[in-house]
Amino acid sequence: MIGSYVAVGDSFTEGVGDPGPDGSFLGWADRLAVLLADRRPEGDFRYTNLAVRGKLLDQIVADQLPGALELAPDLVSFCAGGNDIIRPGTDPDEVAERFERAVARLAGAVGTVMVTTGFDTRGVPVLKHLRGKIATYNGHVRAIADRYGCPVLDLWSLRTVQDRRAWDTDRLHLSPEGHTRVALRAGQVLGLDVPADPDQPWPPLPPRGTLEIRRDDIHWAREHLVPWIGRRLRGQSSGDAVVAKGRVSPEDIRMRIGAAV
């Protein structure tokens, strides 16, 4: 039974898109921590989230891995490389080599290292042209997982997150329901009896007309795409001034999830 968990990564693992009642983010890793803590006596579970939005693989390795190694938990979730892959000119083969070196360090010091693949971006306007590049990186991640005995949180195969309701308004980060489904899938990967099926179909949506879709696309481009491109051109990161959550109690997460409903 897992008694300690450290989450390492970028905005996906920090929980961007899943705000709690105070505005700070929850996310799939926090929700997974609750699922894990529910299997332990009260107070007998330690959870630390070191993830920070916008971070590249080398930044995650330099800033977060030492803390994870020092804590030597039973479980580390390691999600990194996505921000590298979406940058122009990056080579998924080379990124995977650096990813493997980090996995090797973790695998030699912690109980279990769970790695994650990237999402299938077929429906994401800005990222759908990177689908082949992401698929190549995913293939490397799965091969690395095989070599080091890592469970794989396969986000590419989680078909229910193809629904637009699984995504925040920025179309780059998951919504609360999307994060919930990923947490449930992560629990399944770790062999937990989860309280709901992450593959449960969404309720039907009424059809949308062309004009409504175009209006939504224009609003999204103005509110999210243009600022995102601007930050890239200025060399800025959304995580430049962000501090990791650090140690978080599952009891606090439960209360924040309940208050956010």
Short mmCIF file of all heavy atoms in Angstrom, two decimals, residues 139-173:
data_model
loop_
_atom_site.label_atom_id
_atom_site.label_comp_id
_atom_site.label_asym_id
_atom_site.label_seq_id
_atom_site.Cartn_x
_atom_site.Cartn_y
_atom_site.Cartn_z
N GLY A 139 5.63 7.10 -27.75
CA GLY A 139 6.23 5.80 -27.98
C GLY A 139 7.50 5.63 -27.16
O GLY A 139 7.76 4.55 -26.59
N HIS A 140 8.30 6.68 -27.08
CA HIS A 140 9.51 6.63 -26.25
C HIS A 140 9.15 6.46 -24.77
O HIS A 140 9.80 5.68 -24.06
CB HIS A 140 10.31 7.92 -26.43
CG HIS A 140 11.10 7.99 -27.70
ND1 HIS A 140 12.09 7.08 -28.01
CD2 HIS A 140 11.05 8.87 -28.74
CE1 HIS A 140 12.62 7.41 -29.19
NE2 HIS A 140 12.01 8.47 -29.64
N VAL A 141 8.15 7.21 -24.31
CA VAL A 141 7.76 7.12 -22.90
C VAL A 141 7.35 5.70 -22.55
O VAL A 141 7.75 5.17 -21.50
CB VAL A 141 6.63 8.12 -22.59
CG1 VAL A 141 6.02 7.86 -21.20
CG2 VAL A 141 7.14 9.56 -22.67
N ARG A 142 6.57 5.07 -23.41
CA ARG A 142 6.14 3.69 -23.13
C ARG A 142 7.34 2.73 -23.12
O ARG A 142 7.41 1.81 -22.31
CB ARG A 142 5.11 3.26 -24.17
CG ARG A 142 3.80 4.04 -24.10
CD ARG A 142 2.76 3.44 -25.04
NE ARG A 142 1.57 4.28 -25.11
CZ ARG A 142 1.33 5.17 -26.08
NH1 ARG A 142 2.22 5.32 -27.06
NH2 ARG A 142 0.24 5.90 -26.07
N ALA A 143 8.28 2.93 -24.04
CA ALA A 143 9.45 2.07 -24.08
C ALA A 143 10.31 2.26 -22.83
O ALA A 143 10.83 1.29 -22.26
CB ALA A 143 10.29 2.37 -25.34
N ILE A 144 10.47 3.50 -22.39
CA ILE A 144 11.22 3.79 -21.17
C ILE A 144 10.53 3.14 -19.97
O ILE A 144 11.18 2.55 -19.10
CB ILE A 144 11.36 5.31 -20.98
CG1 ILE A 144 12.26 5.90 -22.06
CG2 ILE A 144 11.90 5.65 -19.59
CD1 ILE A 144 12.18 7.41 -22.19
N ALA A 145 9.21 3.24 -19.94
CA ALA A 145 8.46 2.61 -18.85
C ALA A 145 8.69 1.11 -18.81
O ALA A 145 8.85 0.51 -17.73
CB ALA A 145 6.97 2.91 -19.01
N ASP A 146 8.75 0.48 -19.97
CA ASP A 146 9.02 -0.96 -20.02
C ASP A 146 10.40 -1.28 -19.46
O ASP A 146 10.58 -2.26 -18.72
CB ASP A 146 8.95 -1.46 -21.47
CG ASP A 146 7.53 -1.57 -21.99
OD1 ASP A 146 6.59 -1.55 -21.15
OD2 ASP A 146 7.35 -1.67 -23.22
N ARG A 147 11.38 -0.44 -19.79
CA ARG A 147 12.75 -0.71 -19.34
C ARG A 147 12.92 -0.57 -17.84
O ARG A 147 13.75 -1.25 -17.23
CB ARG A 147 13.74 0.21 -20.07
CG ARG A 147 13.94 -0.16 -21.53
CD ARG A 147 15.14 0.52 -22.13
NE ARG A 147 14.94 1.93 -22.43
CZ ARG A 147 14.42 2.40 -23.56
NH1 ARG A 147 14.02 1.55 -24.50
NH2 ARG A 147 14.29 3.70 -23.75
N TYR A 148 12.14 0.32 -17.23
CA TYR A 148 12.32 0.59 -15.80
C TYR A 148 11.15 0.10 -14.95
O TYR A 148 11.10 0.37 -13.76
CB TYR A 148 12.54 2.10 -15.58
CG TYR A 148 13.85 2.58 -16.17
CD1 TYR A 148 13.90 3.05 -17.47
CD2 TYR A 148 15.03 2.52 -15.43
CE1 TYR A 148 15.11 3.46 -18.03
CE2 TYR A 148 16.23 2.94 -15.98
CZ TYR A 148 16.27 3.41 -17.29
OH TYR A 148 17.46 3.81 -17.84
N GLY A 149 10.22 -0.61 -15.55
CA GLY A 149 9.11 -1.18 -14.79
C GLY A 149 8.16 -0.13 -14.24
O GLY A 149 7.65 -0.29 -13.12
N CYS A 150 7.90 0.92 -15.02
CA CYS A 150 7.04 2.02 -14.56
C CYS A 150 5.60 1.82 -15.04
O CYS A 150 5.38 1.53 -16.22
CB CYS A 150 7.52 3.36 -15.12
SG CYS A 150 9.22 3.79 -14.71
N PRO A 151 4.62 2.00 -14.17
CA PRO A 151 3.24 2.07 -14.65
C PRO A 151 3.05 3.30 -15.53
O PRO A 151 3.70 4.34 -15.30
CB PRO A 151 2.41 2.16 -13.37
CG PRO A 151 3.35 2.62 -12.32
CD PRO A 151 4.72 2.15 -12.71
N VAL A 152 2.20 3.20 -16.53
CA VAL A 152 2.00 4.29 -17.49
C VAL A 152 0.58 4.82 -17.40
O VAL A 152 -0.39 4.08 -17.60
CB VAL A 152 2.27 3.81 -18.93
CG1 VAL A 152 2.05 4.96 -19.92
CG2 VAL A 152 3.68 3.26 -19.06
N LEU A 153 0.46 6.10 -17.12
CA LEU A 153 -0.82 6.79 -17.19
C LEU A 153 -0.97 7.25 -18.64
O LEU A 153 -0.44 8.28 -19.05
CB LEU A 153 -0.84 7.98 -16.23
CG LEU A 153 -2.06 8.90 -16.25
CD1 LEU A 153 -3.36 8.13 -16.09
CD2 LEU A 153 -1.92 9.99 -15.20
N ASP A 154 -1.67 6.46 -19.43
CA ASP A 154 -1.77 6.67 -20.87
C ASP A 154 -2.92 7.63 -21.18
O ASP A 154 -4.08 7.23 -21.27
CB ASP A 154 -1.97 5.34 -21.58
CG ASP A 154 -1.87 5.46 -23.09
OD1 ASP A 154 -1.82 6.61 -23.60
OD2 ASP A 154 -1.84 4.43 -23.77
N LEU A 155 -2.59 8.90 -21.34
CA LEU A 155 -3.61 9.91 -21.60
C LEU A 155 -4.09 9.88 -23.05
O LEU A 155 -5.20 10.31 -23.34
CB LEU A 155 -3.03 11.30 -21.27
CG LEU A 155 -2.53 11.45 -19.82
CD1 LEU A 155 -1.84 12.79 -19.65
CD2 LEU A 155 -3.67 11.30 -18.83
N TRP A 156 -3.25 9.39 -23.95
CA TRP A 156 -3.64 9.30 -25.36
C TRP A 156 -4.86 8.39 -25.52
O TRP A 156 -5.73 8.65 -26.33
CB TRP A 156 -2.46 8.78 -26.18
CG TRP A 156 -2.68 8.76 -27.66
CD1 TRP A 156 -3.38 7.84 -28.38
CD2 TRP A 156 -2.19 9.72 -28.61
NE1 TRP A 156 -3.35 8.14 -29.72
CE2 TRP A 156 -2.62 9.29 -29.89
CE3 TRP A 156 -1.41 10.86 -28.52
CZ2 TRP A 156 -2.30 9.98 -31.06
CZ3 TRP A 156 -1.09 11.56 -29.68
CH2 TRP A 156 -1.54 11.13 -30.93
N SER A 157 -4.91 7.31 -24.73
CA SER A 157 -5.99 6.33 -24.88
C SER A 157 -7.24 6.68 -24.08
O SER A 157 -8.25 5.98 -24.18
CB SER A 157 -5.50 4.94 -24.45
OG SER A 157 -5.27 4.90 -23.05
N LEU A 158 -7.18 7.75 -23.27
CA LEU A 158 -8.35 8.14 -22.48
C LEU A 158 -9.30 8.94 -23.38
O LEU A 158 -9.25 10.16 -23.45
CB LEU A 158 -7.91 8.96 -21.26
CG LEU A 158 -8.99 9.33 -20.23
CD1 LEU A 158 -9.71 8.10 -19.71
CD2 LEU A 158 -8.38 10.13 -19.09
N ARG A 159 -10.17 8.23 -24.06
CA ARG A 159 -10.99 8.83 -25.11
C ARG A 159 -11.97 9.88 -24.58
O ARG A 159 -12.34 10.80 -25.30
CB ARG A 159 -11.75 7.74 -25.85
CG ARG A 159 -10.87 6.76 -26.60
CD ARG A 159 -10.12 7.45 -27.73
NE ARG A 159 -9.26 6.53 -28.46
CZ ARG A 159 -9.66 5.80 -29.50
NH1 ARG A 159 -10.92 5.85 -29.89
NH2 ARG A 159 -8.81 5.01 -30.12
N THR A 160 -12.40 9.74 -23.33
CA THR A 160 -13.42 10.67 -22.83
C THR A 160 -12.88 12.10 -22.69
O THR A 160 -13.68 13.04 -22.62
CB THR A 160 -13.97 10.20 -21.47
OG1 THR A 160 -12.90 9.96 -20.56
CG2 THR A 160 -14.80 8.95 -21.64
N VAL A 161 -11.57 12.29 -22.66
CA VAL A 161 -11.06 13.65 -22.59
C VAL A 161 -11.00 14.30 -23.97
O VAL A 161 -10.56 15.44 -24.11
CB VAL A 161 -9.67 13.74 -21.90
CG1 VAL A 161 -9.77 13.30 -20.46
CG2 VAL A 161 -8.62 12.95 -22.66
N GLN A 162 -11.48 13.60 -24.99
CA GLN A 162 -11.64 14.24 -26.30
C GLN A 162 -12.85 15.16 -26.33
O GLN A 162 -12.97 16.00 -27.21
CB GLN A 162 -11.77 13.17 -27.40
CG GLN A 162 -10.54 12.32 -27.58
CD GLN A 162 -9.34 13.11 -28.05
OE1 GLN A 162 -9.45 14.05 -28.83
NE2 GLN A 162 -8.16 12.75 -27.56
N ASP A 163 -13.74 15.01 -25.36
CA ASP A 163 -14.92 15.88 -25.27
C ASP A 163 -14.49 17.27 -24.81
O ASP A 163 -13.66 17.41 -23.91
CB ASP A 163 -15.91 15.27 -24.28
CG ASP A 163 -17.26 15.96 -24.30
OD1 ASP A 163 -17.35 17.10 -23.79
OD2 ASP A 163 -18.22 15.36 -24.82
N ARG A 164 -15.07 18.32 -25.39
CA ARG A 164 -14.65 19.69 -25.05
C ARG A 164 -14.96 20.04 -23.61
O ARG A 164 -14.35 20.95 -23.05
CB ARG A 164 -15.28 20.70 -26.01
CG ARG A 164 -16.80 20.75 -26.03
CD ARG A 164 -17.27 21.67 -27.16
NE ARG A 164 -18.71 21.66 -27.36
CZ ARG A 164 -19.55 22.46 -26.77
NH1 ARG A 164 -19.10 23.35 -25.89
NH2 ARG A 164 -20.84 22.41 -27.01
N ARG A 165 -15.89 19.31 -22.97
CA ARG A 165 -16.20 19.58 -21.57
C ARG A 165 -15.08 19.13 -20.62
O ARG A 165 -15.07 19.48 -19.45
CB ARG A 165 -17.52 18.91 -21.19
CG ARG A 165 -18.74 19.61 -21.77
CD ARG A 165 -19.99 18.77 -21.65
NE ARG A 165 -19.98 17.63 -22.57
CZ ARG A 165 -21.00 16.79 -22.73
NH1 ARG A 165 -22.09 16.94 -22.01
NH2 ARG A 165 -20.93 15.80 -23.61
N ALA A 166 -14.15 18.33 -21.14
CA ALA A 166 -13.00 17.90 -20.33
C ALA A 166 -11.92 18.97 -20.27
O ALA A 166 -10.94 18.81 -19.55
CB ALA A 166 -12.42 16.62 -20.90
N TRP A 167 -12.11 20.09 -21.00
CA TRP A 167 -11.06 21.09 -21.12
C TRP A 167 -11.53 22.45 -20.61
O TRP A 167 -12.70 22.81 -20.73
CB TRP A 167 -10.61 21.20 -22.57
CG TRP A 167 -9.96 19.93 -22.99
CD1 TRP A 167 -10.57 18.83 -23.54
CD2 TRP A 167 -8.58 19.58 -22.83
NE1 TRP A 167 -9.65 17.83 -23.73
CE2 TRP A 167 -8.42 18.26 -23.32
CE3 TRP A 167 -7.47 20.26 -22.35
CZ2 TRP A 167 -7.19 17.61 -23.31
CZ3 TRP A 167 -6.24 19.62 -22.35
CH2 TRP A 167 -6.11 18.31 -22.83
N ASP A 168 -10.58 23.18 -20.07
CA ASP A 168 -10.82 24.55 -19.62
C ASP A 168 -11.08 25.44 -20.83
O ASP A 168 -10.86 25.04 -21.98
CB ASP A 168 -9.60 25.03 -18.83
CG ASP A 168 -9.84 26.34 -18.11
OD1 ASP A 168 -11.01 26.66 -17.83
OD2 ASP A 168 -8.86 27.06 -17.83
N THR A 169 -11.48 26.67 -20.58
CA THR A 169 -11.77 27.60 -21.67
C THR A 169 -10.54 27.93 -22.50
O THR A 169 -10.66 28.36 -23.65
CB THR A 169 -12.38 28.90 -21.12
OG1 THR A 169 -11.51 29.43 -20.11
CG2 THR A 169 -13.75 28.66 -20.53
N ASP A 170 -9.32 27.72 -21.93
CA ASP A 170 -8.12 28.01 -22.72
C ASP A 170 -7.77 26.90 -23.69
O ASP A 170 -6.87 27.05 -24.51
CB ASP A 170 -6.92 28.32 -21.81
CG ASP A 170 -6.46 27.11 -20.99
OD1 ASP A 170 -7.01 26.00 -21.14
OD2 ASP A 170 -5.53 27.29 -20.19
N ARG A 171 -8.47 25.76 -23.61
CA ARG A 171 -8.30 24.61 -24.50
C ARG A 171 -6.92 23.97 -24.39
O ARG A 171 -6.56 23.12 -25.22
CB ARG A 171 -8.58 25.00 -25.96
CG ARG A 171 -9.96 25.61 -26.19
CD ARG A 171 -10.23 25.87 -27.64
NE ARG A 171 -11.51 26.57 -27.84
CZ ARG A 171 -12.00 26.91 -29.02
NH1 ARG A 171 -11.34 26.59 -30.12
NH2 ARG A 171 -13.16 27.55 -29.11
N LEU A 172 -6.14 24.35 -23.42
CA LEU A 172 -4.81 23.79 -23.21
C LEU A 172 -4.70 23.03 -21.89
O LEU A 172 -3.76 22.25 -21.71
CB LEU A 172 -3.75 24.90 -23.23
CG LEU A 172 -3.55 25.63 -24.56
CD1 LEU A 172 -2.61 26.80 -24.37
CD2 LEU A 172 -3.01 24.67 -25.62
N HIS A 173 -5.63 23.29 -20.98
CA HIS A 173 -5.61 22.64 -19.66
C HIS A 173 -6.96 22.00 -19.39
O HIS A 173 -7.99 22.45 -19.88
CB HIS A 173 -5.28 23.66 -18.57
CG HIS A 173 -3.95 24.31 -18.74
ND1 HIS A 173 -3.80 25.58 -19.25
CD2 HIS A 173 -2.70 23.86 -18.46
CE1 HIS A 173 -2.51 25.88 -19.29
NE2 HIS A 173 -1.83 24.86 -18.83
#
